[in-house]
Amino acid sequence: MFPYPSGAGLHVGHPEGYTATDILARHKRMRGFAVMHPMGWDAFGLPAEQYAIETGTHPRVTTEQNINTFRRQIRMLGFSYDWDQEVDTTDPDYFRWTQWIFLLLHGTWYDTTAKKGRPIAALPIPPDVAAQGDAAVRKYRDDRRLAYRAEVPVNWCGALGTVLANEEVIDGKSERGGHPVIRMPLRQWMLRITDYADRLLEDLDAVDWPPSIQEMQRNWIGRSEGAELDFMALLPAGGESLLRVFTTRPDTLFGATYMVLSPEHPLVPALTIPAQADQVEAYRQQASRKSDFERTELAHEKTGVATGSFAINPVNGERVPIWIADYVLAGYGTGAIMAVPAHDERDFAFAVQFGLPIRLVVAPTAGGAAPEGEPFTQHGVAMASGFLDGLPTLEAKARMIDWLEKESKGIRKVNFKLRDWLFSRQRYWGEPFPLLHEIGTDGEPTGRIEPVDIADLPLKLPELEDYKPSGRPEPPLGKATGWVEVERDGKLWRRELNTMPQWAGSCWYYLRYLDPKNSQAFCDPAKENYWMPVDLYVGGAEHAVLHLLYSRFWHKVLFDHGHVTTAEPFKRLVNQGMILGDVEYTAFRDATGAWVQPATRDATGLEAVRLPEDQVEKKGDHFVLKADTSIRVDARANKMSKARGNVINPDTVVNEYGADSLRLYEMFMGPLEATKPWSMRGVEGVYRFLSRVWRVFIDDRAEEVGLSPQVSSEAPEAETLRLLHHTIKRVTEDLDAMRFNTAIAAMMEYTNHLTPLVIRPRTALEPFVLLLAPFAPHLAEELWQALGHGSTLAYEPWPVFDPALLVASTIEVPVQVNGKIRARLSVAPDIGKDELEQLALADTKVIENLAGRAPRKVIVVPGKLVNIIC
RNA sequence: GCCGAAGUGGCGGAACAGGCAGACGCGCUGGACUCAAAAUCCAGUUCCCCAAAAGGAGUGUGGGUUCGACUCCCACCUUCGGCACCA
C-alpha cells in the first residue's frame, strides 16, 4: 500500500511492508519472473490543508516537499522500485482518471436482475415516467445512478466553522479545541456501494486473504435475512398510514407489544399527539445533537418518549403504542421496529425502563419455560402465536413470511449494515467533482446536473487566496469566484463545490501503476490483462475494511463495464504487523514520592515513572522494582508516537548501521504479520551479522578492500556443501512462505559455519551471496564485485539445491523409555526400522533404564525416534 | 458484550500433516587477543538440585485423547486488534 507522505517523514513502520515486497520482488526477478514493483503517493488529505490554513502555504508546495522527503528516504533503503511507474494522486494527469472513474460511476445504474452495473443510457424508463417529460426522466435516472445526492447528517462545528470527519469528533466535541459539534443535514454526494453488497460479500470467498480480514469485511457488510412488514399506524389527526419495519424474527410478531421509531423518522410529527408534542420535540432536538459515537457509546441506558398514538399489529389486529427512541437507528432497515421485549435484549431493557408489557412467544423447548428476568433471544419453539404454535423458530419464520406475503402485509427481505458511501468533503485539498449544476434565470440551481466533458478533464483545483473555512458549512471552493461559474450552451452553470475524499485516489492506484503515463486511458487494456490481478498486496491492517472495500467496489464497477478483466483486484493480501516502540518499564509513585502498586493501570493521582532496564527484575510472571521487590513494574511496548517520544527515525538507523541493517532487522524481528516491539540492540545484532559476512569474504585488515586470501578455488568439504544446499533449501522455501525471519536465521547459521573455516571455497560462497542479495542488496552487490563479477547480481539465476547433497552421513536418533529420553543413537539416515529397534534395545543406557523389565511395546519412527514402553 | 489473533527462557522469537522444546538473534557469564579499552574470536547460558555426573520440573491455567501433546479436543484466564443498541 502506498503511503500518505506526511510532514513527519518515513516511520519505521513503512519500510516493514516495503522491505518484504522488495525482497520478494528481487527474489522473483532472480527466478526469471517479470516483476512489477511500484511506488507512489496518496497525497491528498487533511494535514496539508490544515497547514495551509495556518500558514497560507499552498498544499501543493507542502505536498511536494513531503513527497521529496519520502522519496529520498525510500530510495535510501534500496528498494528496487521502477520509478518510471511512480504515481501521485494529486497530479492532474492522475486525478484526471479519478474524475473519469467518478463520471463512470455517475453514469452507471445497478441492474438487479443482471446483477451488474450498466450504463445509465440503458436504464429502461417506465412509460408513465417518459410521458411526464424530460425533467421526470432525468430525475428517474438521477435517482438510480451509483453516484447520487442525498441529505445526510454531517458533523458541523460552528466554532471551527467546518465540517468534521467522524474520527475528528470525540464525545460530541471537536478533537481540536473541544468545541461543540452538532449533526446537521447537508446535501452530499453518495456512492451506492450497497448495490454491490452481495457481490462484495460473495467474492470474498475467492480471494487469498487472511481469514480475519475476510471476517471483518463480512461483519462490516453485515448481511441479515428477515422480513419487512407493515403495521397500520392510526394518525391522531384521523386516517391511517403504513408503518414499515424490518425484523430478523418475524416469528415473534405475536409478541410485539409496542413499536419504536428512530427520532428522525419522517412519520414522527404526524404521529405525535398534541399533549406529547413538546416532549417529542425536545427529545428529537437532544438526539440530533448527539454524535453517532455518543449515541452508541457506553450509554446503554435506554431513553425514549411516547408519541401518544398507536398502530395495529398485522397478524392479530392488536393496538400497540408507538414510541420514539434513539436506540433505533434511522439509517438501518426502515428506521422503525416492532418491539418484542420478551425476545430481544434492547427491547427488553426499554420495556423494563418504561413499564411496557412483555409477552413470551418463544419457549426454549416445546412446553418449556424461558428463564425469568431476562429476554430469551435464542431459537426455540413458538407459543401463544396462533398458527405458529409448536413450530421451531426457523420453520416459524418461514411460515410467518409466507403468511405475510400471501396477505400482502410483508415480504422476505435481506438487509445490510453496510451504508452507502458518503463521498463528498467540504475541503480544498481533494479532487474536484467534474460536475456542473444548471442555474436558472432566477439565479438558483434548477436541479439539473451535467458532467464536464471527458475531453475537458482533468478539472483542476482553483487557486485560492486563503484556505480558511468560510464559517458556514460550505466548501472552500466557493471562494474561487472566477472558477465557480461556467457558461455552456448559452446557459449559466455552477461547478460542484465539494471535493472527493482521500479514498478516491487510493481506490484505483494499483491500476495506474500499470501504465502511469497513458493519456488515452487510465490503463492500456493489454497491460491490464497481462498484469492483473495484483499477486501480492501488503499493507497495514488499519485498511482492512474501508480502503479494501472501496477499492473492491470501484474495481467491480470497472469490471462490469469491461474496463478490467478480473472481478477482484487483489488476489493475495498480507497484513504487516505494527511496530511498537522499545519496551518501557513504568512504576508509580504517590504524592509523597513513595512507590505504590496501583490497583489499575489508569489509577489517577499517581506519578508514572519510567525506569531504566537495570532497575527492574523478573519475579514470577511479572516485573518488580529491584530496590523493592514488592512493587510491581508495568513492562510494555507502546505504539510509537511523538507524545511518548519513542519514535524511531529510519534516517538515524541508516546513518548509524546502514540501509541493509535496517532492512534486515525489520525482517528479523519476527513474523511479518505480528505486532512486535522495536529494539535498537536487535539492529546492532543484525549489523554484526552483516559485518561477519563481510569478513568471511573480505580481508578487513588490508589497506584496500579486497577479497580475503582465505577465499579459495578448492572444492568445499562435504559438510560445507551439505550446509550450503540446506541453506539454499531453507531460504528458498522460507521466501515462498514469506517467513523472512527464519530465512535470515538460516543464513546466520551458514555464516557461523563459514567463519571458522581457514579455507573458504568460492563455490560455497557465491551462491550464498545470491541468497543474501534480496535481503541486503548493497552488501551483496559489493561482495559480488569483490568476487570478480563485472555486472549486477540482480538478474543472476537463483541458486538451486541438490536434494542428494542434503543427506547427512549419520543422524542422531533419541531413544525414549516410557516417553523419557534415555539415550541417543548415531545411525545412518536410511537405517531400517527393525535394525533401529535392535540397536536401541541393545544400548547400554536403555538396558540400564529397563532394569530387567521386558519391553511391552516398541514404537519406532525411522529417522525420528524410538520409544520403548515397559 | 460480540468477532478475530495470540500467550514458549531475562528479551525478540524457532519448532506445530503429534515425535529430541528453546533454532537464530539480543542480553548476561567466563575466557582469548590488548598496557588498557573498544571491536573481534572461543565457550557457556530454561528453571530447581549439584563440584560434576545423574536426577527432577517445564510451552498462560485446569481437564481430556495418545506410546508420545507447544502442536489435537473441552472449559477457563490474560493480552492485543476490530466491531459495538444493525432489530
Side-chain angles (χ1 to χ4, degrees), chain A residues 224 248 296 302 346 669 748 824:
Chain A
S224 66
T248 54
T296 58
K302 297 286 181 285
R346 301 148 298 181
M669 291 170 86
M748 286 175 166
R824 290 172 196 281

PDB file of all heavy atoms in Angstrom, chain A residues 224 248 296 302 346 669 748 824, chain B residues 11-12 20 24 27 67 85-87:
ATOM      1  N   SER A 224     -28.105  -9.540   6.774  1.00  0.00           N
ATOM      2  CA  SER A 224     -29.024 -10.299   7.622  1.00  0.00           C
ATOM      3  C   SER A 224     -30.361 -10.481   6.921  1.00  0.00           C
ATOM      4  O   SER A 224     -30.866  -9.592   6.256  1.00  0.00           O
ATOM      5  CB  SER A 224     -29.196  -9.644   8.997  1.00  0.00           C
ATOM      6  OG  SER A 224     -29.823  -8.402   8.877  1.00  0.00           O
ATOM      7  N   THR A 248     -35.592  -9.528  11.868  1.00  0.00           N
ATOM      8  CA  THR A 248     -34.997 -10.827  11.524  1.00  0.00           C
ATOM      9  C   THR A 248     -35.781 -11.938  12.212  1.00  0.00           C
ATOM     10  O   THR A 248     -35.500 -13.101  12.010  1.00  0.00           O
ATOM     11  CB  THR A 248     -33.532 -10.917  12.008  1.00  0.00           C
ATOM     12  OG1 THR A 248     -33.479 -10.626  13.394  1.00  0.00           O
ATOM     13  CG2 THR A 248     -32.652  -9.952  11.243  1.00  0.00           C
ATOM     14  N   THR A 296     -24.040   5.635  20.592  1.00  0.00           N
ATOM     15  CA  THR A 296     -23.801   4.203  20.730  1.00  0.00           C
ATOM     16  C   THR A 296     -22.866   3.894  21.883  1.00  0.00           C
ATOM     17  O   THR A 296     -22.761   2.772  22.316  1.00  0.00           O
ATOM     18  CB  THR A 296     -23.184   3.645  19.442  1.00  0.00           C
ATOM     19  OG1 THR A 296     -21.975   4.353  19.184  1.00  0.00           O
ATOM     20  CG2 THR A 296     -24.118   3.786  18.295  1.00  0.00           C
ATOM     21  N   LYS A 302     -31.522   3.065  28.291  1.00  0.00           N
ATOM     22  CA  LYS A 302     -32.471   3.400  27.227  1.00  0.00           C
ATOM     23  C   LYS A 302     -33.231   4.682  27.551  1.00  0.00           C
ATOM     24  O   LYS A 302     -33.644   4.916  28.687  1.00  0.00           O
ATOM     25  CB  LYS A 302     -33.471   2.257  27.058  1.00  0.00           C
ATOM     26  CG  LYS A 302     -32.828   0.952  26.613  1.00  0.00           C
ATOM     27  CD  LYS A 302     -32.438   0.999  25.148  1.00  0.00           C
ATOM     28  CE  LYS A 302     -31.810  -0.298  24.682  1.00  0.00           C
ATOM     29  NZ  LYS A 302     -30.435  -0.472  25.150  1.00  0.00           N
ATOM     30  N   ARG A 346     -32.473  -5.406  23.753  1.00  0.00           N
ATOM     31  CA  ARG A 346     -32.690  -3.956  23.774  1.00  0.00           C
ATOM     32  C   ARG A 346     -34.141  -3.619  24.073  1.00  0.00           C
ATOM     33  O   ARG A 346     -34.459  -2.749  24.880  1.00  0.00           O
ATOM     34  CB  ARG A 346     -32.258  -3.367  22.433  1.00  0.00           C
ATOM     35  CG  ARG A 346     -30.807  -3.640  22.141  1.00  0.00           C
ATOM     36  CD  ARG A 346     -30.563  -3.799  20.668  1.00  0.00           C
ATOM     37  NE  ARG A 346     -31.304  -4.935  20.107  1.00  0.00           N
ATOM     38  CZ  ARG A 346     -31.252  -5.297  18.845  1.00  0.00           C
ATOM     39  NH1 ARG A 346     -30.532  -4.603  17.997  1.00  0.00           N
ATOM     40  NH2 ARG A 346     -31.939  -6.324  18.408  1.00  0.00           N
ATOM     41  N   MET A 669      12.895  -9.285  13.043  1.00  0.00           N
ATOM     42  CA  MET A 669      12.170  -9.068  14.297  1.00  0.00           C
ATOM     43  C   MET A 669      11.180 -10.169  14.632  1.00  0.00           C
ATOM     44  O   MET A 669      10.940 -10.457  15.804  1.00  0.00           O
ATOM     45  CB  MET A 669      11.356  -7.778  14.213  1.00  0.00           C
ATOM     46  CG  MET A 669      12.178  -6.538  14.190  1.00  0.00           C
ATOM     47  SD  MET A 669      11.131  -5.124  13.799  1.00  0.00           S
ATOM     48  CE  MET A 669      10.544  -4.706  15.433  1.00  0.00           C
ATOM     49  N   MET A 748      22.319 -16.930   8.877  1.00  0.00           N
ATOM     50  CA  MET A 748      23.217 -16.711  10.020  1.00  0.00           C
ATOM     51  C   MET A 748      23.919 -18.017  10.396  1.00  0.00           C
ATOM     52  O   MET A 748      25.114 -18.037  10.686  1.00  0.00           O
ATOM     53  CB  MET A 748      22.422 -16.195  11.221  1.00  0.00           C
ATOM     54  CG  MET A 748      21.984 -14.750  11.084  1.00  0.00           C
ATOM     55  SD  MET A 748      20.938 -14.270  12.477  1.00  0.00           S
ATOM     56  CE  MET A 748      20.950 -12.477  12.288  1.00  0.00           C
ATOM     57  N   ARG A 824      20.906 -41.712  23.044  1.00  0.00           N
ATOM     58  CA  ARG A 824      20.906 -41.213  21.668  1.00  0.00           C
ATOM     59  C   ARG A 824      21.759 -42.135  20.829  1.00  0.00           C
ATOM     60  O   ARG A 824      22.843 -42.530  21.253  1.00  0.00           O
ATOM     61  CB  ARG A 824      21.499 -39.804  21.619  1.00  0.00           C
ATOM     62  CG  ARG A 824      20.598 -38.782  22.268  1.00  0.00           C
ATOM     63  CD  ARG A 824      21.300 -37.434  22.365  1.00  0.00           C
ATOM     64  NE  ARG A 824      20.609 -36.568  23.306  1.00  0.00           N
ATOM     65  CZ  ARG A 824      19.493 -35.903  23.020  1.00  0.00           C
ATOM     66  NH1 ARG A 824      18.960 -36.027  21.821  1.00  0.00           N
ATOM     67  NH2 ARG A 824      18.914 -35.159  23.924  1.00  0.00           N
TER      68      ARG A 824
ATOM     69  P     C B  11      11.348 -12.678  29.737  1.00  0.00           P
ATOM     70  OP1   C B  11       9.962 -12.294  30.010  1.00  0.00           O
ATOM     71  OP2   C B  11      11.667 -14.076  29.384  1.00  0.00           O
ATOM     72  O5'   C B  11      11.921 -11.744  28.583  1.00  0.00           O
ATOM     73  C5'   C B  11      11.653 -10.346  28.596  1.00  0.00           C
ATOM     74  C4'   C B  11      12.232  -9.725  27.348  1.00  0.00           C
ATOM     75  O4'   C B  11      13.667  -9.975  27.313  1.00  0.00           O
ATOM     76  C3'   C B  11      11.744 -10.325  26.039  1.00  0.00           C
ATOM     77  O3'   C B  11      10.477  -9.822  25.655  1.00  0.00           O
ATOM     78  C2'   C B  11      12.857  -9.911  25.079  1.00  0.00           C
ATOM     79  O2'   C B  11      12.780  -8.547  24.753  1.00  0.00           O
ATOM     80  C1'   C B  11      14.097 -10.139  25.966  1.00  0.00           C
ATOM     81  N1    C B  11      14.653 -11.489  25.786  1.00  0.00           N
ATOM     82  C2    C B  11      15.359 -11.760  24.613  1.00  0.00           C
ATOM     83  O2    C B  11      15.487 -10.850  23.775  1.00  0.00           O
ATOM     84  N3    C B  11      15.884 -12.991  24.412  1.00  0.00           N
ATOM     85  C4    C B  11      15.723 -13.931  25.333  1.00  0.00           C
ATOM     86  N4    C B  11      16.267 -15.127  25.085  1.00  0.00           N
ATOM     87  C5    C B  11      14.996 -13.699  26.538  1.00  0.00           C
ATOM     88  C6    C B  11      14.481 -12.470  26.726  1.00  0.00           C
ATOM     89  P     G B  12       9.553 -10.737  24.715  1.00  0.00           P
ATOM     90  OP1   G B  12       8.238 -10.083  24.680  1.00  0.00           O
ATOM     91  OP2   G B  12       9.667 -12.150  25.136  1.00  0.00           O
ATOM     92  O5'   G B  12      10.231 -10.599  23.281  1.00  0.00           O
ATOM     93  C5'   G B  12      10.272  -9.322  22.642  1.00  0.00           C
ATOM     94  C4'   G B  12      10.869  -9.479  21.264  1.00  0.00           C
ATOM     95  O4'   G B  12      12.246  -9.870  21.372  1.00  0.00           O
ATOM     96  C3'   G B  12      10.251 -10.572  20.412  1.00  0.00           C
ATOM     97  O3'   G B  12       9.024 -10.155  19.835  1.00  0.00           O
ATOM     98  C2'   G B  12      11.351 -10.792  19.377  1.00  0.00           C
ATOM     99  O2'   G B  12      11.360  -9.763  18.432  1.00  0.00           O
ATOM    100  C1'   G B  12      12.605 -10.689  20.263  1.00  0.00           C
ATOM    101  N9    G B  12      13.012 -12.012  20.753  1.00  0.00           N
ATOM    102  C8    G B  12      12.659 -12.587  21.953  1.00  0.00           C
ATOM    103  N7    G B  12      13.158 -13.787  22.103  1.00  0.00           N
ATOM    104  C5    G B  12      13.873 -14.021  20.951  1.00  0.00           C
ATOM    105  C6    G B  12      14.624 -15.158  20.544  1.00  0.00           C
ATOM    106  O6    G B  12      14.811 -16.215  21.156  1.00  0.00           O
ATOM    107  N1    G B  12      15.200 -14.974  19.278  1.00  0.00           N
ATOM    108  C2    G B  12      15.051 -13.844  18.514  1.00  0.00           C
ATOM    109  N2    G B  12      15.659 -13.864  17.333  1.00  0.00           N
ATOM    110  N3    G B  12      14.354 -12.780  18.881  1.00  0.00           N
ATOM    111  C4    G B  12      13.798 -12.929  20.099  1.00  0.00           C
ATOM    112  P     C B  20      10.715 -33.992  18.439  1.00  0.00           P
ATOM    113  OP1   C B  20       9.860 -33.310  19.433  1.00  0.00           O
ATOM    114  OP2   C B  20      11.250 -33.256  17.298  1.00  0.00           O
ATOM    115  O5'   C B  20      11.937 -34.674  19.203  1.00  0.00           O
ATOM    116  C5'   C B  20      11.704 -35.399  20.403  1.00  0.00           C
ATOM    117  C4'   C B  20      12.847 -35.120  21.335  1.00  0.00           C
ATOM    118  O4'   C B  20      14.068 -35.563  20.688  1.00  0.00           O
ATOM    119  C3'   C B  20      13.059 -33.633  21.643  1.00  0.00           C
ATOM    120  O3'   C B  20      13.515 -33.509  22.974  1.00  0.00           O
ATOM    121  C2'   C B  20      14.155 -33.222  20.683  1.00  0.00           C
ATOM    122  O2'   C B  20      14.934 -32.164  21.152  1.00  0.00           O
ATOM    123  C1'   C B  20      14.979 -34.505  20.621  1.00  0.00           C
ATOM    124  N1    C B  20      15.727 -34.625  19.378  1.00  0.00           N
ATOM    125  C2    C B  20      17.120 -34.633  19.444  1.00  0.00           C
ATOM    126  O2    C B  20      17.660 -34.568  20.545  1.00  0.00           O
ATOM    127  N3    C B  20      17.827 -34.730  18.304  1.00  0.00           N
ATOM    128  C4    C B  20      17.198 -34.797  17.130  1.00  0.00           C
ATOM    129  N4    C B  20      17.932 -34.884  16.034  1.00  0.00           N
ATOM    130  C5    C B  20      15.773 -34.772  17.032  1.00  0.00           C
ATOM    131  C6    C B  20      15.085 -34.679  18.174  1.00  0.00           C
ATOM    132  P     C B  24      21.705 -21.760  16.986  1.00  0.00           P
ATOM    133  OP1   C B  24      22.959 -22.190  16.337  1.00  0.00           O
ATOM    134  OP2   C B  24      21.653 -21.587  18.449  1.00  0.00           O
ATOM    135  O5'   C B  24      21.216 -20.397  16.321  1.00  0.00           O
ATOM    136  C5'   C B  24      21.299 -20.198  14.914  1.00  0.00           C
ATOM    137  C4'   C B  24      20.644 -18.894  14.536  1.00  0.00           C
ATOM    138  O4'   C B  24      19.215 -18.979  14.761  1.00  0.00           O
ATOM    139  C3'   C B  24      21.054 -17.698  15.390  1.00  0.00           C
ATOM    140  O3'   C B  24      22.297 -17.156  14.986  1.00  0.00           O
ATOM    141  C2'   C B  24      19.890 -16.753  15.152  1.00  0.00           C
ATOM    142  O2'   C B  24      19.945 -16.181  13.860  1.00  0.00           O
ATOM    143  C1'   C B  24      18.722 -17.727  15.204  1.00  0.00           C
ATOM    144  N1    C B  24      18.210 -17.875  16.586  1.00  0.00           N
ATOM    145  C2    C B  24      17.314 -16.906  17.075  1.00  0.00           C
ATOM    146  O2    C B  24      16.971 -15.974  16.337  1.00  0.00           O
ATOM    147  N3    C B  24      16.851 -17.024  18.343  1.00  0.00           N
ATOM    148  C4    C B  24      17.252 -18.044  19.120  1.00  0.00           C
ATOM    149  N4    C B  24      16.780 -18.116  20.355  1.00  0.00           N
ATOM    150  C5    C B  24      18.168 -19.027  18.643  1.00  0.00           C
ATOM    151  C6    C B  24      18.618 -18.915  17.384  1.00  0.00           C
ATOM    152  P     G B  27      23.872  -7.505  22.885  1.00  0.00           P
ATOM    153  OP1   G B  27      24.380  -6.125  22.875  1.00  0.00           O
ATOM    154  OP2   G B  27      24.740  -8.623  22.466  1.00  0.00           O
ATOM    155  O5'   G B  27      23.306  -7.850  24.334  1.00  0.00           O
ATOM    156  C5'   G B  27      22.492  -6.907  25.029  1.00  0.00           C
ATOM    157  C4'   G B  27      21.931  -7.534  26.280  1.00  0.00           C
ATOM    158  O4'   G B  27      21.139  -8.692  25.927  1.00  0.00           O
ATOM    159  C3'   G B  27      22.970  -8.091  27.251  1.00  0.00           C
ATOM    160  O3'   G B  27      23.493  -7.073  28.084  1.00  0.00           O
ATOM    161  C2'   G B  27      22.147  -9.105  28.025  1.00  0.00           C
ATOM    162  O2'   G B  27      21.320  -8.474  28.975  1.00  0.00           O
ATOM    163  C1'   G B  27      21.283  -9.699  26.913  1.00  0.00           C
ATOM    164  N9    G B  27      21.921 -10.867  26.299  1.00  0.00           N
ATOM    165  C8    G B  27      22.547 -10.925  25.075  1.00  0.00           C
ATOM    166  N7    G B  27      23.014 -12.116  24.798  1.00  0.00           N
ATOM    167  C5    G B  27      22.688 -12.886  25.910  1.00  0.00           C
ATOM    168  C6    G B  27      22.941 -14.254  26.185  1.00  0.00           C
ATOM    169  O6    G B  27      23.515 -15.091  25.489  1.00  0.00           O
ATOM    170  N1    G B  27      22.440 -14.625  27.433  1.00  0.00           N
ATOM    171  C2    G B  27      21.776 -13.780  28.297  1.00  0.00           C
ATOM    172  N2    G B  27      21.384 -14.317  29.441  1.00  0.00           N
ATOM    173  N3    G B  27      21.534 -12.510  28.049  1.00  0.00           N
ATOM    174  C4    G B  27      22.011 -12.130  26.846  1.00  0.00           C
ATOM    175  P     C B  67      -2.071 -45.462  23.503  1.00  0.00           P
ATOM    176  OP1   C B  67      -2.027 -46.700  22.705  1.00  0.00           O
ATOM    177  OP2   C B  67      -2.938 -45.357  24.705  1.00  0.00           O
ATOM    178  O5'   C B  67      -0.593 -45.095  23.940  1.00  0.00           O
ATOM    179  C5'   C B  67       0.048 -45.813  25.013  1.00  0.00           C
ATOM    180  C4'   C B  67       1.494 -45.414  25.081  1.00  0.00           C
ATOM    181  O4'   C B  67       2.197 -45.916  23.910  1.00  0.00           O
ATOM    182  C3'   C B  67       1.752 -43.922  25.050  1.00  0.00           C
ATOM    183  O3'   C B  67       1.625 -43.353  26.336  1.00  0.00           O
ATOM    184  C2'   C B  67       3.186 -43.848  24.529  1.00  0.00           C
ATOM    185  O2'   C B  67       4.121 -44.149  25.551  1.00  0.00           O
ATOM    186  C1'   C B  67       3.195 -44.997  23.498  1.00  0.00           C
ATOM    187  N1    C B  67       2.896 -44.532  22.139  1.00  0.00           N
ATOM    188  C2    C B  67       3.877 -43.811  21.428  1.00  0.00           C
ATOM    189  O2    C B  67       4.951 -43.561  21.970  1.00  0.00           O
ATOM    190  N3    C B  67       3.617 -43.400  20.170  1.00  0.00           N
ATOM    191  C4    C B  67       2.429 -43.698  19.607  1.00  0.00           C
ATOM    192  N4    C B  67       2.223 -43.274  18.364  1.00  0.00           N
ATOM    193  C5    C B  67       1.426 -44.415  20.298  1.00  0.00           C
ATOM    194  C6    C B  67       1.696 -44.823  21.548  1.00  0.00           C
ATOM    195  P     C B  85     -23.973   0.568  18.588  1.00  0.00           P
ATOM    196  OP1   C B  85     -24.049   1.807  17.846  1.00  0.00           O
ATOM    197  OP2   C B  85     -23.558   0.564  20.008  1.00  0.00           O
ATOM    198  O5'   C B  85     -25.329  -0.249  18.445  1.00  0.00           O
ATOM    199  C5'   C B  85     -25.327  -1.634  18.761  1.00  0.00           C
ATOM    200  C4'   C B  85     -26.632  -1.970  19.433  1.00  0.00           C
ATOM    201  O4'   C B  85     -26.824  -1.081  20.563  1.00  0.00           O
ATOM    202  C3'   C B  85     -27.824  -1.817  18.500  1.00  0.00           C
ATOM    203  O3'   C B  85     -28.633  -2.967  18.584  1.00  0.00           O
ATOM    204  C2'   C B  85     -28.554  -0.605  19.058  1.00  0.00           C
ATOM    205  O2'   C B  85     -29.946  -0.737  18.939  1.00  0.00           O
ATOM    206  C1'   C B  85     -28.168  -0.645  20.538  1.00  0.00           C
ATOM    207  N1    C B  85     -28.222   0.636  21.206  1.00  0.00           N
ATOM    208  C2    C B  85     -28.984   0.719  22.374  1.00  0.00           C
ATOM    209  O2    C B  85     -29.559  -0.301  22.793  1.00  0.00           O
ATOM    210  N3    C B  85     -29.075   1.909  23.019  1.00  0.00           N
ATOM    211  C4    C B  85     -28.447   2.962  22.526  1.00  0.00           C
ATOM    212  N4    C B  85     -28.554   4.103  23.194  1.00  0.00           N
ATOM    213  C5    C B  85     -27.663   2.902  21.331  1.00  0.00           C
ATOM    214  C6    C B  85     -27.590   1.727  20.713  1.00  0.00           C
ATOM    215  P     C B  86     -28.111  -4.292  17.832  1.00  0.00           P
ATOM    216  OP1   C B  86     -29.127  -5.293  18.199  1.00  0.00           O
ATOM    217  OP2   C B  86     -26.695  -4.565  18.055  1.00  0.00           O
ATOM    218  O5'   C B  86     -28.278  -3.934  16.305  1.00  0.00           O
ATOM    219  C5'   C B  86     -29.576  -3.825  15.740  1.00  0.00           C
ATOM    220  C4'   C B  86     -29.469  -3.979  14.240  1.00  0.00           C
ATOM    221  O4'   C B  86     -28.902  -2.773  13.692  1.00  0.00           O
ATOM    222  C3'   C B  86     -28.565  -5.113  13.784  1.00  0.00           C
ATOM    223  O3'   C B  86     -29.143  -5.708  12.649  1.00  0.00           O
ATOM    224  C2'   C B  86     -27.258  -4.432  13.424  1.00  0.00           C
ATOM    225  O2'   C B  86     -26.551  -5.067  12.390  1.00  0.00           O
ATOM    226  C1'   C B  86     -27.749  -3.066  12.938  1.00  0.00           C
ATOM    227  N1    C B  86     -26.770  -1.987  13.173  1.00  0.00           N
ATOM    228  C2    C B  86     -26.266  -1.281  12.084  1.00  0.00           C
ATOM    229  O2    C B  86     -26.648  -1.564  10.954  1.00  0.00           O
ATOM    230  N3    C B  86     -25.378  -0.288  12.299  1.00  0.00           N
ATOM    231  C4    C B  86     -24.991  -0.004  13.544  1.00  0.00           C
ATOM    232  N4    C B  86     -24.122   0.984  13.714  1.00  0.00           N
ATOM    233  C5    C B  86     -25.489  -0.714  14.663  1.00  0.00           C
ATOM    234  C6    C B  86     -26.369  -1.693  14.440  1.00  0.00           C
ATOM    235  P     A B  87     -29.563  -7.231  12.762  1.00  0.00           P
ATOM    236  OP1   A B  87     -28.551  -8.062  13.414  1.00  0.00           O
ATOM    237  OP2   A B  87     -29.976  -7.507  11.399  1.00  0.00           O
ATOM    238  O5'   A B  87     -30.833  -7.226  13.717  1.00  0.00           O
ATOM    239  C5'   A B  87     -32.091  -7.149  13.154  1.00  0.00           C
ATOM    240  C4'   A B  87     -33.078  -6.953  14.241  1.00  0.00           C
ATOM    241  O4'   A B  87     -32.750  -5.772  14.996  1.00  0.00           O
ATOM    242  C3'   A B  87     -34.488  -6.688  13.698  1.00  0.00           C
ATOM    243  O3'   A B  87     -35.178  -7.886  13.454  1.00  0.00           O
ATOM    244  C2'   A B  87     -35.112  -5.851  14.794  1.00  0.00           C
ATOM    245  O2'   A B  87     -35.545  -6.662  15.841  1.00  0.00           O
ATOM    246  C1'   A B  87     -33.932  -5.011  15.231  1.00  0.00           C
ATOM    247  N9    A B  87     -33.821  -3.743  14.485  1.00  0.00           N
ATOM    248  C8    A B  87     -34.249  -3.429  13.233  1.00  0.00           C
ATOM    249  N7    A B  87     -34.014  -2.207  12.870  1.00  0.00           N
ATOM    250  C5    A B  87     -33.364  -1.676  13.960  1.00  0.00           C
ATOM    251  C6    A B  87     -32.849  -0.413  14.206  1.00  0.00           C
ATOM    252  N6    A B  87     -32.901   0.576  13.341  1.00  0.00           N
ATOM    253  N1    A B  87     -32.265  -0.191  15.386  1.00  0.00           N
ATOM    254  C2    A B  87     -32.214  -1.195  16.259  1.00  0.00           C
ATOM    255  N3    A B  87     -32.661  -2.441  16.150  1.00  0.00           N
ATOM    256  C4    A B  87     -33.239  -2.613  14.962  1.00  0.00           C
TER     257        A B  87
END
